Amino acid sequence: MKTNNKRRVLTAALATAILMSNAPVFAAGEKIAVSFQTLSIPFFIFMHEQAVQEAKALDINLLVQDAQASSSKQSSDIENSLTQGVKAVVLTPNDVSALAPAINDVLDERVPVIAVDRRVEGTSSTVPFVTADNVAGGRIMGEWVVKNMPKGANVVLITGQIGSTTAMDRAKGVHQSLNAAGSKFKLVAEQSGEADRAKAMSVVENILTASAGTPPDVIICSTGDMTLGAVEAVRGMGLSNKIKIIGYDAYPEVLKSIKAGEITGIVEQSPSKQIRTALRLAVDNIRNGTKIESVTVQPFMVTQDNLDQAEQFSAIK
């Protein structure tokens, strides 16, 4: 009897050991690379701050990389992260397809990759993403024009960085809304401001100068910095009371401009929610083997009437 009992105990212990060896192991302090397209604009600066806070909550170590708006640098950074023992790569891609070779190297090592804010294409396997629905965000801007100017409007569209999915998707959404509303809503000019305030200011100034005394009714900008550039251009040409300005990215300086009445509305795409969600998905995959699924964040319009709903509202109280 005693011998049989001992055998049962040993058998149970062995089975437990086997199960434990096959189960995911929780190991706090895992290193995750976070590669930002740039850390020189407010949107990504805020996202970086939120990533640092979330890393503390999740007990992980971040390897933060600034691609400085260079696809070649971002590719090199991503490849180098493999030599530093990262367990996952989270990135805001500089270009929709230029990073594919570097990402493929990471995927070949079975290190998970998650894109944030923008998608990547052309990779050996689909890269999951966490991003705002930018086509919907573009439609929201166009729909604002249609709703608030029912008699029709001449619209200028300042698009973002050439080659980024955010710029393409937001422009697509604006076109969808205006086209659906009919011919009385006219897109009289469309040009890239390269997601840069000074460039957008110059582009808007040139468009207004060329309009020969018939300024547009609305200027739509697909990033926050470009929206602020448009404000400066319109103000400088004495047209602030004649042109409505709406845009994308609800960070403090933009929110202050809404409060002051210089910007009519801005699309909130919740950068904190995006980066925090991506890090949680990465950690859940590392620690529990959970499959990473793409997550789409729904954008919405922020105006003077609902300023307190913006993620960064507390910064302007």
Side-chain angles (χ1 to χ4, degrees):
M1 262 322 260
K2 289 183 179 179
T3 300
N4 288 337
N5 285 338
K6 287 181 179 179
R7 285 176 179 169
R8 281 195 291 270
V9 171
L10 288 171
T11 300
L14 180 60
T16 300
I18 291 172
L19 285 171
M20 289 180 67
S21 67
N22 291 330
V25 177
F26 179 91
E30 300 95 336
K31 184 182 290 185
I32 295 179
V34 181
S35 175
F36 290 100
Q37 183 259 343
T38 179
L39 284 174
S40 64
I41 63 175
F43 177 79
F44 291 118
I45 293 171
F46 176 68
M47 188 176 276
H48 174 219
E49 293 169 354
Q50 296 300 300
V52 171
Q53 291 179 21
E54 188 64 22
K56 292 178 180 177
L58 294 171
D59 196 11
I60 57 176
N61 293 317
L62 295 186
L63 174 61
V64 177
Q65 301 166 333
D66 179 2
Q68 299 173 11
S70 165
S71 293
S72 60
K73 184 179 187 306
Q74 190 165 36
S75 295
S76 178
D77 288 344
I78 292 169
E79 290 172 340
N80 290 337
S81 69
L82 288 174
T83 66
Q84 300 183 56
V86 299
K87 301 298 183 183
V89 173
V90 174
L91 75 156
T92 62
N94 185 62
D95 185 271
V96 63
S97 57
L99 304 179
I103 291 173
N104 286 340
D105 288 343
V106 177
L107 296 174
D108 287 345
E109 297 297 322
R110 300 189 180 278
V111 173
V113 178
I114 305 174
V116 179
D117 179 53
R118 308 168 177 193
R119 302 185 308 277
V120 292
E121 298 174 358
T123 50
S124 56
S125 61
T126 302
V127 173
F129 57 83
V130 180
T131 182
D133 186 336
N134 286 296
V135 176
R139 284 198 299 267
I140 288 170
M141 293 191 289
E143 287 165 359
W144 183 94
V145 176
V146 174
K147 179 180 178 180
N148 289 276
M149 299 182 169
K151 293 182 180 181
N154 289 333
V155 181
V156 167
L157 174 59
I158 307 301
T159 59
Q161 179 191 351
I162 297 171
S164 76
T165 58
T166 53
M168 293 185 282
D169 288 351
R170 292 169 193 175
K172 180 180 179 180
V174 171
H175 279 270
Q176 287 178 351
S177 293
L178 297 182
N179 290 341
S183 59
K184 61 184 178 179
F185 294 95
K186 297 178 181 179
L187 198 59
V188 295
E190 180 175 350
Q191 190 172 337
S192 172
E194 300 176 13
D196 180 79
R197 186 183 304 197
K199 176 67 176 179
M201 179 180 174
S202 175
V203 168
V204 171
E205 285 174 342
N206 291 338
I207 290 173
L208 295 179
T209 299
S211 66
T214 55
D217 300 294
V218 186
I219 298 175
I220 297 176
C221 300
S222 66
T223 73
D225 265 9
M226 295 195 307
T227 307
L228 292 167
V231 168
E232 293 177 32
V234 170
R235 184 195 301 127
M237 300 187 76
L239 296 171
S240 297
N241 294 327
K242 295 183 178 181
I243 301 174
K244 301 293 185 183
I245 301 174
I246 57 178
Y248 218 105
D249 294 341
Y251 55 81
E253 190 175 357
V254 174
L255 297 177
K256 289 178 182 177
S257 193
I258 291 177
K259 192 173 183 179
E262 297 173 315
I263 296 173
T264 301
I266 203 81
V267 174
E268 170 66 270
Q269 60 171 326
S270 308
S272 175
K273 183 183 294 183
Q274 287 190 46
I275 193 67
R276 288 175 182 267
T277 298
L279 289 174
R280 290 168 191 165
L281 290 172
V283 169
D284 200 22
N285 174 266
I286 295 166
R287 294 175 180 172
N288 304 311
T290 306
K291 183 180 179 182
I292 300 173
E293 301 284 359
S294 294
V295 175
T296 301
V297 175
Q298 291 304 312
F300 61 93
M301 180 72 81
V302 173
T303 65
Q304 285 185 339
D305 295 332
N306 65 339
L307 267 176
D308 60 340
Q309 294 182 25
E311 273 192 349
Q312 300 185 63
F313 173 70
S314 61
I316 68 164
K317 283 185 177 180

